[in-house]
């Protein structure tokens, strides 16, 4: 095989892996919209570690991660999870991605919440041929002078 064919097959593999990774994140987006906790669960590893915006500093294991999403369903009647500028770096069985994300929707009391844009990083592992989220981190920028979060930024 020549170098041109090697490059093409490598490029094709990366495109296929990126499509699979994006489908994993789309499963989260669709699962939240549908309030389908089982669908959301399938894209996380059992030992997922999540550094979410709410206390404590870390949430360890699938039960803790699903509790975070269950809390969203307690407060929201309808849920939309926007992800923008998603970018991946891909290895054979490990990948990481970063994006901007926003959770918004209609609250149980009928009020509309536009949410706020946050920064999200995903660490994924390929397990039995499928990409699973093993780590996520969500952060809110803050004003160093006040120590307070800045929630009105737009990507």
């Amino acid at each position: 095989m020549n170098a041109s064919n090697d490059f093409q097959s490598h490029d094709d593999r990366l495109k296929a892996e990126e499509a699979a990774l994006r489908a994993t994140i789309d499963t989260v987006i669709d699962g939240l919209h549908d309030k389908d906790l089982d669908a959301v669960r399938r894209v996380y590893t059992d030992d997922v570690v999540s550094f979410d915006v709410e206390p404590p500093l870390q949430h360890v294991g699938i039960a803790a991660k699903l509790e975070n999403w269950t809390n969203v369903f307690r407060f929201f009647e309808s849920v939309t999870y926007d992800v923008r500028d998603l970018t991946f770096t891909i290895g054979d069985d490990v990948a990481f991605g970063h994006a901007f994300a926003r959770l918004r929707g209609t609250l149980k009391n009928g009020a509309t919440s536009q949410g706020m844009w946050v920064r999200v990083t995903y660490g994924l592992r390929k397990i039995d041929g499928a990409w699973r989220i093993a780590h996520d981190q969500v952060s809110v920028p803050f004003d160093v002078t006040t120590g307070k979060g800045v929630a009105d930024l737009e990507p």
Side-chain angles (χ1 to χ4, degrees):
M1 189 179 278
N2 65 34
S4 177
N5 288 341
D6 287 344
F7 178 75
Q8 184 64 35
S9 64
H10 176 73
D11 192 46
D12 289 344
R13 184 191 73 79
L14 283 179
K15 286 179 182 177
E17 294 294 4
E18 181 168 347
L21 287 159
R22 288 183 180 280
T24 298
I25 303 306
D26 286 345
T27 298
V28 174
I29 293 167
D30 294 342
L32 295 175
H33 179 266
D34 297 340
K35 293 186 171 181
D36 184 348
L37 206 55
D38 288 332
V40 173
R41 186 207 188 295
R42 287 190 293 274
V43 300
Y44 289 96
T45 62
D46 288 337
D47 60 348
V48 61
V49 175
S50 180
F51 296 167
D52 214 332
V53 291
E54 63 189 56
L57 289 174
Q58 68 176 356
H59 305 261
V60 178
I62 189 63
K65 184 61 190 177
L66 293 179
E67 183 61 27
N68 286 355
W69 290 127
T70 299
N71 287 337
V72 168
F73 298 157
R74 282 189 194 116
F75 294 107
F76 282 88
E77 185 65 35
S78 67
V79 178
T80 300
Y81 188 60
D82 302 307
V83 176
R84 288 189 42 188
D85 302 334
L86 181 59
T87 303
F88 288 105
T89 299
I90 306 167
D92 290 335
D93 58 359
V94 176
F96 72 87
H98 55 86
F100 300 107
R102 175 177 63 174
L103 186 69
R104 61 188 175 92
T106 304
L107 301 172
K108 295 274 184 173
N109 67 8
T112 300
S113 171
Q114 288 306 311
M116 65 179 167
W117 287 101
V118 295
R119 302 167 297 197
V120 61
T121 302
Y122 302 103
L124 299 102
R125 293 191 339 240
K126 195 173 199 181
I127 300 171
D128 296 329
W131 289 104
R132 300 289 177 250
I133 301 170
H135 176 71
D136 64 10
Q137 178 166 340
V138 180
S139 65
V140 176
F142 77 99
D143 181 330
V144 176
T145 60
T146 66
K148 301 218 183 279
V150 180
D152 60 351
L153 300 176
E154 298 277 331

